């Protein structure tokens, strides 16, 4: 999902985005509403068939609370909620997914099942992320990047590792780009930004205080601010002008941050390729120059083959 921060776009039940939107906003819902959402996510197939009374009973709430839950998602009522859930299930079936797949990888599961589950979960997350992206918002971010004097990117922990990869590629196509994971260094850099600069924050939870603080400083300095997160109601949304949301669920032995990598790369790659398209001549020139600079450090194939033969001979002589 991609939205301009501060907006709360209604869910379009017929487009198969309801469950991913629900996962995104769930942490920001009030207690009783969150109970309804949890029941739906635990068993979407049951929820798509349940009456409003049954859903209220299973969630320990009431039909009135379920109605408020529907309105909190931008839905007209309970019928639209059931249609949205059924549409998501239909999309999953058509794509060969299980809606709840990956909820658990059991200690006794054979490795081939673990592999299939891993593949299905990551592919589904990428497809749901792509389906939820508002390309108009993505276009605005790309336009800001193309015209930027410099770009700061903020993330801590695993998010920083993801950003370091995209930073290297952005540099290679001629975009002045830096990644900051130390909050002190990041705050100093953010304080030196201004209008025309762009700041991008990556945080799966949207609650990493260091990342929120760095992006907040960048916004105070006048930079265009962008956040990439899995939760549209998280604190990072309050300091981002543009919000790009992934759609990822946690699995056993994989935290949300670990599961999010492929979807995060999908969003960042889209930004990267969009910039490369719009700066084609510059990108081609800088890409070539960068490649020529590292070419002498790549071992020729013939030399690798000789080294392999020498190693084999040495082992044979031993």
């Amino acid at each position: 999902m991609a939205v301009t921060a501060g907006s709360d776009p209604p869910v379009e039940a017929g487009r198969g985005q309801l469950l991913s939107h629900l996962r995104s906003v769930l942490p920001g819902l009030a207690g009783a509403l969150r109970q309804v959402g949890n029941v739906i996510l635990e068993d979407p197939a049951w929820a798509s068939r349940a009456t409003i009374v049954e859903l209220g009973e299973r969630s320990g709430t009431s039909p009135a609370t379920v109605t408020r839950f529907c309105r909190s998602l931008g839905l007209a009522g309970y019928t639209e909620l059931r249609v949205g859930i059924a549409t998501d299930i239909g999309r999953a079936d058509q794509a060969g997914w299980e809606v709840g797949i990956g909820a658990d990888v059991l200690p006794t599961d054979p490795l081939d099942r673990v592999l299939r589950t891993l593949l299905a979960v990551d592919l589904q997350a990428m497809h749901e992320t792509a389906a939820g992206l508002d390309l108009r918002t993505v276009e605005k971010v790309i336009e800001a990047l193309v015209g930027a004097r410099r770009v700061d990117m903020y993330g801590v922990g695993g998010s920083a590792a993801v950003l370091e990869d995209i930073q290297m590629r952005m540099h290679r196509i001629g975009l002045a780009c830096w990644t900051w994971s130390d909050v002190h260094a990041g705050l100093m850099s953010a304080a030196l930004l201004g209008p025309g600069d762009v700041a991008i924050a990556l945080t799966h939870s949207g609650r990493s205080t260091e990342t929120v603080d760095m992006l907040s400083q960048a916004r105070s300095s006048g930079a265009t601010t962008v956040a990439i997160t899995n939760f549209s109601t998280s604190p990072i949304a309050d300091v981002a002008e543009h919000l790009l949301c992934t759609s990822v669920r946690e699995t056993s032995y994989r935290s949300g941050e670990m599961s999010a990598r492929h979807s995060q790369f999908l969003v960042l790659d889209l930004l990267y390729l969009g910039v490369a398209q719009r700066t084609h001549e510059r990108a081609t020139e800088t890409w070539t120059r960068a490649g020529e600079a590292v070419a002498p450090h790549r071992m020729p194939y013939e030399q690798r083959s000789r080294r392999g033969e020498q190693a084999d001979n040495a082992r044979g002589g031993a």
Side-chain angles (χ1 to χ4, degrees):
M1 178 180 296
V3 298
T4 299
S7 65
D8 188 14
V11 177
E12 297 182 43
R15 291 185 60 187
Q17 300 175 23
L18 191 146
L19 293 178
S20 60
H21 177 65
L22 174 54
R23 284 191 294 273
S24 174
V25 303
L26 189 65
L29 295 179
L33 301 184
R34 192 181 307 130
Q35 289 173 223
V36 177
N38 282 328
V39 168
I40 292 172
L41 292 177
E42 286 169 3
D43 194 347
W46 175 87
S48 70
R49 301 187 301 269
T51 67
I52 190 170
V53 173
E54 290 170 336
L55 182 55
E57 289 177 349
R58 180 174 285 198
S59 61
T61 61
S62 66
T65 300
V66 175
T67 299
R68 285 194 295 115
F69 170 82
C70 295
R71 291 173 180 166
S72 74
L73 295 182
L75 301 173
Y78 188 66
T79 299
E80 193 172 1
L81 175 69
R82 290 178 61 181
V83 169
I85 297 171
T87 301
D88 271 17
I89 293 172
R91 285 181 62 248
D93 288 343
Q94 187 175 15
W97 303 323
E98 298 174 37
V99 171
I101 195 167
D104 274 307
V105 174
L106 301 177
T108 56
D109 284 344
L111 194 57
D112 65 330
R113 186 185 187 282
V114 174
L115 176 60
R116 290 196 305 271
T117 300
L118 181 65
L119 181 62
V121 168
D122 286 348
L123 284 175
Q124 184 174 359
M126 292 177 69
H127 277 280
E128 290 184 353
T129 296
L133 281 174
D134 179 350
L135 296 183
R136 292 170 298 181
T137 301
V138 176
E139 287 276 6
K140 291 178 182 178
V141 176
I142 291 172
E143 290 171 7
L145 288 169
V146 169
R149 178 183 66 97
R150 62 174 287 162
V151 178
D152 266 13
M153 298 194 295
Y154 312 122
V156 297
S159 296
V162 173
L163 291 177
E164 285 172 2
D165 175 84
I166 199 70
Q167 175 204 335
M168 178 182 66
R169 286 185 285 151
M170 288 291 195
H171 263 307
R172 190 165 182 178
I173 60 172
L175 191 66
C177 184
W178 288 266
T179 295
W180 305 97
S181 58
D182 178 86
V183 66
H184 290 227
L187 286 171
M188 286 190 290
S189 181
L192 300 177
L193 298 180
D197 297 327
V198 176
I200 299 176
L202 179 65
T203 163
H204 171 75
S205 68
R207 301 192 304 271
S208 298
T209 56
E210 299 91 343
T211 306
V212 173
D213 288 347
M214 289 186 283
L215 193 67
S216 179
Q217 177 62 63
R219 183 163 185 169
S220 297
S221 299
T224 298
T225 52
V226 182
I228 301 173
T229 182
N230 204 65
F231 301 101
S232 61
T233 57
S234 57
I236 197 73
D238 295 332
V239 294
E241 296 173 55
H242 303 293
L243 192 64
L244 307 180
C245 286
T246 55
S247 180
V248 178
R249 66 196 71 182
E250 295 193 10
T251 64
S252 295
Y253 309 117
R254 293 177 87 205
S255 65
E257 289 82 356
M258 294 173 64
S259 302
R261 295 292 175 261
H262 293 94
S263 294
Q264 290 171 344
F265 273 121
L266 178 67
V267 175
L268 289 165
D269 273 338
L270 183 60
L271 297 178
Y272 162 75
L273 289 172
V275 172
Q277 280 184 313
R278 288 156 182 75
T279 60
H280 177 69
E281 291 186 7
R282 183 191 73 186
T284 300
E285 178 190 355
T286 56
W287 180 274
T288 301
R289 286 165 54 194
E292 290 172 349
V294 300
H297 293 270
R298 294 197 176 104
M299 188 180 297
Y301 179 79
E302 296 78 7
Q303 187 176 349
R304 292 202 308 270
S305 298
R306 287 197 299 272
R307 289 195 177 188
E309 291 174 2
Q310 291 169 358
D312 289 341
N313 292 336
R315 283 194 295 268

